[in-house]
Amino acid sequence: EVQLLESGGGLVQPGGSLRLSCVASGFMFNYYDMRWVRQAPGKGLEWVSGISPSGDKTEHADSVKGRFTISRDNSKSTLYMQMNNLRVEDTATYYCVKDHDFSLDYWGQGALVIVSS
Amino acid sequence: VVMTQSPLSLPVTLGQPASISCRSSQGLVHTNGNIYLTWLQQRPGQSPRRLIYKVSNRDLGVPDRFSGSGSDTDFTLKISRVEAEDVGVYYCMQGTHWPFTFGPGTKVEIK
C-alpha cells in the first residue's frame, strides 16, 4: 500500500522558515517524480514544486521561486521542501504527491502551514 | 494552460445522475498522442484522491458509476447515480503541458 506521510508544518511568522518532510512507502520511491501541491484554506489546488527521480531536475512555481527548495533523499525514501522567507499568502495545506505518467496518483494527508504574526 | 469547470456548484438528488464539464485553454493531446487529463475527488476534510486518468481510465477501487470522456479541450466526468459518499469537490487537472494545472473545482452536494 502506497503511503505518503508529511510532517513539519506549523505556525511561523512572516519572513520565517520551515522544512516539510514526506516519508514514502509502498512503492519504489527512487523511480518516480514527486511533487508538492498546496491548498489555501477553502481554496483550490496549486502546484508548487516538482523533482525528478534522481533529484537532478527541480521545478518551482513562480510564486515560490527563490524562496522554496524541493529536494529528496532516496536512501530514506523522503521528500523535502525547504521554505524560506514565508509570506502570509503561503498559508496552506501542503500535500506530498506521487507523480506517475503525467498524473498525480497518490496524495499524502497534508501538512498545514500557517504564516501569521 | 487554464482549466475551467462548470458548474462550480452542483446540487444533486440521491440516485440521480450528475455531470461536470472541464475545458482547457489549449489542446491536451501530448506529442506522444496521449491526453493527460485527470479527475480528482476531495471529500470533506480529506486529501484529494485520483478517480480517473488519461481521460477515461478509472483507478482501482473507483466505483463504475464514475466515468470520464472527452477529447482535445472538452472533458466530462459523469456519475451515473449519485450516492451520499460522492459529496465533495471534484477537480480536473491537466498534465500534458508544463506546469500541471488544476480546474477551480466543482462542489457536489446532496439536495
Side-chain angles (χ1 to χ4, degrees):
Chain A
E1 178 191 6
V2 172
Q3 290 194 331
L4 299 166
L5 188 60
E6 300 100 333
S7 61
L11 174 64
V12 62
Q13 292 187 339
S17 298
L18 275 179
R19 188 198 199 199
L20 302 182
S21 299
C22 169
V23 177
S25 61
F27 66 102
M28 297 295 289
F29 182 72
N30 58 328
Y31 280 16
Y32 295 94
D33 286 359
M34 295 295 295
R35 305 196 184 272
W36 289 100
V37 174
R38 69 183 179 184
Q39 185 172 37
K43 302 297 185 182
L45 301 168
E46 178 190 16
W47 170 81
V48 176
S49 298
I51 189 166
S52 62
S54 66
D56 62 334
K57 296 179 183 176
T58 62
E59 308 157 326
H60 297 83
D62 288 344
S63 56
V64 306
K65 203 169 288 184
R67 301 186 299 121
F68 290 13
T69 303
I70 189 172
S71 62
R72 66 193 296 163
D73 184 340
N74 286 344
S75 69
K76 296 180 179 179
S77 296
T78 301
L79 178 72
Y80 301 101
M81 175 71 87
Q82 178 65 43
M83 303 186 293
N84 297 331
N85 192 19
L86 282 159
R87 304 168 180 169
V88 171
E89 56 265 33
D90 294 321
T91 294
T93 296
Y94 286 74
Y95 295 104
C96 167
V97 192
K98 175 177 170 286
D99 180 342
H100 175 60
D101 196 20
F102 302 98
S103 184
L104 303 178
D105 58 350
Y106 288 96
W107 296 62
Q109 89 288 349
L112 179 60
V113 172
I114 300 174
V115 185
S116 174
S117 55
Chain B
V1 176
V2 177
M3 306 296 289
T4 57
Q5 292 180 229
S6 63
L8 298 183
S9 178
L10 183 57
V12 294
T13 302
L14 288 173
Q16 293 300 302
S19 180
I20 300 170
S21 172
C22 172
R23 289 185 174 173
S24 59
S25 61
Q26 296 179 31
L28 297 186
V29 180
H30 194 274
T31 53
N32 64 14
N34 289 319
I35 299 177
Y36 296 104
L37 189 284
T38 293
W39 287 97
L40 303 164
Q41 175 196 58
Q42 188 174 30
R43 290 171 170 154
Q46 295 187 12
S47 305
R49 163 201 182 196
R50 193 177 72 173
L51 294 178
I52 287 173
Y53 60 97
K54 284 194 279 191
V55 182
S56 59
N57 296 274
R58 264 192 313 274
D59 271 280
L60 199 62
V62 174
D64 61 7
R65 64 179 181 274
F66 289 93
S67 64
S69 62
S71 63
D72 198 28
T73 60
D74 289 292
F75 303 91
T76 302
L77 175 69
K78 292 184 178 178
I79 311 174
S80 59
R81 295 173 305 280
V82 172
E83 297 189 5
E85 66 178 17
D86 300 335
V87 165
V89 181
Y90 292 78
Y91 297 92
C92 61
M93 186 208 92
Q94 68 83 22
T96 297
H97 303 285
W98 184 90
F100 290 1
T101 48
F102 300 90
T106 294
K107 186 174 184 178
V108 172
E109 55 188 8
I110 304 301
K111 281 183 184 175

